[in-house]
Amino acid sequence: MAISETMEKKINEQINAEMYSAYLYLSMSCQAQDMNLKGFANWFYIQYQEEVAHAMGFLNYVQERGGKVTLTAIEGPKTQWDSALAMFEETCKHEAYVTSLINGLAALAVQENDFAAGHFFSWYVKEQVEEEATAGEICSEVKMAQGNPGALLMLDRELGTRTFVAPIIK
Ligand code: FEO
């Protein structure tokens, strides 16, 4: 059974939202690099890769369900943050917003009795719990490191160890 026109439109919007997230984190990665925080830059770069994977998951799903993918312009992200903390505060806020979008998709699946879509979205529902928890944890750590260059350096080293593992979305 193909997805409804409304579902197709909403998932296409989500592809754009995930690509925007990717662009936002890539911008943060570049900004962290400029601030000489290479570990933070690495963390945000991997976050960028994850967001592209999220977008691709939705893209593949539209095609699998016989829908049409329509790519649209990606809004330019912010390019300047005052501090590593400002970047992580925005990350937390942004992920909470993405969660609301994913919840909207899950609600639409229920409304349309599209159980297959609902099942597919549940991967993203769980992923968002993790995304928000991780961003929140790091945000607290950055707050604790404020005004303490040694602690910030240690955190930077820790964030530098993050590696990209392609998610299996299904
Ligand atoms: Fe695609 Fe960070 O959620």
Side-chain angles (χ1 to χ4, degrees), residues 19-76:
M19 290 304 285
Y20 173 76
S21 299
Y23 217 21
L24 176 67
Y25 294 131
L26 185 58
S27 186
M28 287 186 188
S29 176
C30 295
Q31 184 66 23
Q33 189 76 29
D34 287 348
M35 292 161 89
N36 230 354
L37 292 168
K38 293 190 181 359
F40 280 79
N42 173 67
W43 194 92
F44 283 117
Y45 186 78
I46 284 158
Q47 194 65 14
Y48 148 77
Q49 288 179 295
E50 281 207 353
E51 298 301 349
V52 172
H54 293 169
M56 289 309 296
F58 282 116
L59 186 151
N60 292 332
Y61 188 71
V62 170
Q63 292 180 331
E64 202 182 333
R65 290 290 301 274
K68 181 174 163 50
V69 172
T70 309
L71 298 180
T72 50
I74 304 163
E75 196 190 325

Side-chain angles (χ1 to χ4, degrees), residues 14 18 21 25 47 50-51 54-55 58 94-95 98 102 124 127-128 131:
Q14 192 62 31
E18 299 290 346
S21 299
Y25 294 131
Q47 194 65 14
E50 281 207 353
E51 298 301 349
H54 293 169
F58 282 116
H94 184 68
E95 287 305 326
V98 173
I102 301 286
Y124 287 91
E127 173 73 1
Q128 281 311 119
E131 291 271 80

Side-chain angles (χ1 to χ4, degrees), residues 101-137:
L101 297 179
I102 301 286
N103 287 346
L105 284 172
L108 179 64
V110 171
Q111 195 187 317
E112 292 190 351
N113 282 338
D114 188 339
F115 301 115
H119 186 262
F120 175 70
F121 297 148
S122 69
W123 185 90
Y124 287 91
V125 171
K126 281 185 273 174
E127 173 73 1
Q128 281 311 119
V129 172
E130 208 181 296
E131 291 271 80
E132 285 196 59
T134 307
E137 248 167 60

